[in-house]
Amino acid sequence: GNSVTQMEGPVTLSEEAFLTINCTYTATGYPSLFWYVQYPGEGLQLLLKATKADDKGSNKGFEATYRKETTSFHLEKGSVQVSDSAVYFCALSDHTGFQKLVFGTGTRLLVSP
Amino acid sequence: DTAVSQTPKYLVTQMGNDKSIKCEQNLGHDTMYWYKQDSKKFLKIMFSYNNKELIINETVPNRFSPKSPDKAHLNLHINSLELGDSAVYFCASSQDIAGAREQYFGPGTRLTVT
């Protein structure tokens, strides 16, 4: 079945550091890929998405590129802020038509001043 | 204006009890979901309704019964609660089931079974 693997956290960085959170997936066909973010005490929010190979999703300084050859969708940001501290979830949706999201285990990011 | 709301926010109850969680969305979406997030933050889909029709029913014990009285509401009733049901339950909605739709999540209901 479909699955998503994310790097274990927590990831601890100082403000303005470069961020990479790795995400790889296993799926039949060509799924759509997402990054969702969960701030403390809140529900998940869509951060960015990509729907086909080589697409780059971007939002709020975060970027991720859909790499079919490596089945990856790594999240990057050039300069993190304290306010980016949250849990980040990589997810995929196949094309069965039911919008079923399969999530990775989440990666907690802690940014210190 | 809250897009996806859930009540209650916290629910503490004893084993064997029956409880319900309510969800409402004011986005005019056709599709709604229930997710369970365990203590390790792992998030898994439980159910999905599209236009009040059940379209996703994962391997969830039949003590869990979703009900969608209309497109804007999706409630979750849990019978005979067990310790392992303790988790955060998230409701979500999307415009429809067309490809790669954004899902909008509620704030979650933290259920603690003692």
Side-chain angles (χ1 to χ4, degrees):
Chain A
N2 297 337
S3 66
V4 175
T5 302
Q6 283 182 242
M7 61 190 287
E8 292 260 347
V11 173
T12 306
L13 294 173
S14 298
E15 208 164 23
E16 299 183 4
F18 185 85
L19 169 70
T20 301
I21 300 178
N22 290 339
C23 171
T24 58
Y25 67 89
T26 302
T28 51
Y30 303 102
S32 296
L33 301 173
F34 306 81
W35 278 100
Y36 278 81
V37 58
Q38 185 179 26
Y39 296 103
E42 297 184 11
L44 279 74
Q45 305 171 25
L46 179 65
L47 182 59
L48 52 84
K49 69 179 183 183
T51 58
K52 60 183 188 298
D54 300 324
D55 264 3
K56 178 187 281 190
S58 60
N59 186 24
K60 300 181 183 178
F62 291 89
E63 291 183 342
T65 302
Y66 189 141
R67 301 278 188 210
K68 184 165 71 80
E69 63 277 10
T70 53
T71 61
S72 65
F73 193 54
H74 304 322
L75 182 68
E76 296 182 335
K77 187 176 185 184
S79 174
V80 293
Q81 306 300 311
V82 172
S83 57
D84 293 327
S85 298
V87 181
Y88 291 81
F89 291 90
C90 185
L92 68 79
S93 171
D94 63 23
H95 296 292
T96 61
F98 293 151
Q99 283 300 308
K100 177 180 163 183
L101 281 176
V102 174
F103 285 92
T105 50
T107 302
R108 182 178 296 277
L109 170 65
L110 299 168
V111 181
S112 55
Chain B
D1 284 348
T2 305
V4 181
S5 58
Q6 296 179 227
T7 53
K9 192 166 172 63
Y10 300 96
L11 186 52
V12 181
T13 188
Q14 291 185 329
M15 283 175 56
N17 285 348
D18 303 338
K19 290 294 177 186
S20 291
I21 306 172
K22 296 189 175 184
C23 177
E24 177 180 1
Q25 54 94 3
N26 63 6
L27 298 166
H29 287 171
D30 286 347
T31 312
M32 296 184 73
Y33 312 81
W34 277 112
Y35 288 88
K36 179 180 179 180
Q37 186 176 48
D38 64 23
S39 57
K40 296 184 178 175
K41 296 284 191 185
F42 184 63
L43 202 66
K44 192 170 191 311
I45 191 164
M46 301 172 69
F47 302 103
S48 176
Y49 274 73
N50 186 57
N51 283 319
K52 301 195 300 172
E53 224 179 289
L54 182 66
I55 58 169
I56 295 175
N57 184 355
E58 291 294 284
T59 50
V60 177
N62 53 18
R63 298 182 294 104
F64 290 78
S65 51
K67 281 195 173 46
S68 181
D70 56 56
K71 283 193 332 182
H73 296 85
L74 179 62
N75 303 323
L76 183 65
H77 187 75
I78 316 169
N79 289 326
S80 304
L81 278 153
E82 300 178 358
L83 291 176
D85 298 331
S86 295
V88 181
Y89 292 84
F90 286 100
C91 177
S93 72
S94 65
Q95 184 176 340
D96 50 41
I97 57 173
R101 293 292 195 202
E102 177 176 358
Q103 292 188 19
Y104 293 78
F105 284 75
T109 295
R110 182 175 293 278
L111 171 65
T112 304
V113 182
T114 61

